[in-house]
Amino acid sequence: QQPSLDATKQRALAANLIIFNRVYVGSVPFDVTESEVSDMFGLFGPVKSVQMIAETGSARHRGYGFVEWEVPEAAELAVAK
């Protein structure tokens, strides 16, 4: 049985919200922690998660990652600044 069109639209909307709530951040100094990134970007709205990409076999991040907010408006504000 195929999902209804409404259910398909709802899944697409949820997927878009996930995409629009998540923003790439780069040029992050290596000594800045995920917690500090969360605090800084929390100025735009409630942060759901921060994922700094780590070097293989190391605890040090590569200077970039992703910030995800609870609401898309916060991501829009951060990108606009």
Side-chain angles (χ1 to χ4, degrees), residues 28-33 52-55 58-64:
V28 179
F30 297 118
D31 61 337
V32 173
T33 66
M52 297 304 295
I53 307 305
E55 292 185 14
S58 171
R60 185 175 119 167
H61 65 76
R62 294 182 176 201
Y64 68 93

Side-chain angles (χ1 to χ4, degrees), residues 25-47:
V25 294
S27 301
V28 179
F30 297 118
D31 61 337
V32 173
T33 66
E34 284 187 357
S35 178
E36 291 170 323
V37 171
S38 180
D39 290 345
M40 181 182 354
F41 285 98
L43 298 173
F44 300 104
V47 172

